[in-house]
Amino acid sequence: EDVYVTVLGTAQDAGYPQVGCRKQCCFRPTAEKPILRRYVSSIAIVDNQSQERWIIDCTPDFREQMDLLDRIQKVYPPSSSPKWLKGILLTHAHIGHYTGLMFLGRESVGASELPVYCGSRMASFF
């Protein structure tokens, strides 16, 4: 496949299990079965020919989602390609869709010229 979409997360903005939730539905993924944990909703678009990758929504789970994408693509060492990420598309201004941008700063990735695309209302926050 030349271009494909990969689901990187399916949970709502705060992830799953929910922080502070003491119900059985949230207890099992943390204590009994960590495999049940789900990342915040995001997808990746990958072009195998050009090796370009786009992320739709930059979630608080961004680090783990990029690691997952590297493993899916068998990128070793992880994120070593100069085309590590071509751009980010933000769908809207809920916290689960943009808070992962903090991982792009100098203290982490240092992605100073990575394009971030969003609507005009969201752009007014930047």
Side-chain angles (χ1 to χ4, degrees):
E1 300 173 17
D2 289 336
V3 178
Y4 65 92
V5 172
T6 296
V7 175
L8 300 174
T10 58
Q12 66 87 37
D13 291 354
Y16 178 78
Q18 290 275 312
V19 65
C21 178
R22 301 293 181 243
K23 296 179 182 177
Q24 184 63 23
C25 61
C26 289
F27 175 76
R28 289 191 69 226
T30 38
E32 296 174 10
K33 294 190 176 185
I35 194 80
L36 296 177
R37 182 179 187 271
R38 294 187 321 185
Y39 297 133
V40 176
S41 181
S42 179
I43 63 172
I45 302 169
V46 178
D47 183 333
N48 273 331
Q49 251 181 353
S50 67
Q51 288 299 299
E52 293 176 343
R53 308 188 308 177
W54 299 79
I55 298 295
I56 298 182
D57 289 328
C58 193
T59 79
D61 295 323
F62 179 74
R63 293 177 303 168
E64 293 88 353
Q65 289 169 323
M66 290 306 298
D67 180 60
L68 174 62
L69 184 56
D70 285 342
R71 286 185 279 129
I72 290 168
Q73 284 190 272
K74 297 178 175 62
V75 174
Y76 301 106
S79 300
S80 62
S81 166
K83 295 180 181 175
W84 172 74
L85 196 56
K86 186 69 174 174
I88 296 173
L89 295 87
L90 302 177
T91 59
H92 60 287
H94 285 172
I95 63 165
H97 299 263
Y98 68 86
T99 52
L101 294 174
M102 68 183 172
F103 296 112
L104 301 175
R106 184 176 42 180
E107 299 85 359
S108 183
V109 174
S112 62
E113 296 188 26
L114 179 67
V116 177
Y117 301 93
C118 59
S120 58
R121 286 181 59 197
M122 182 69 185
S124 68
F125 289 109
F126 294 115

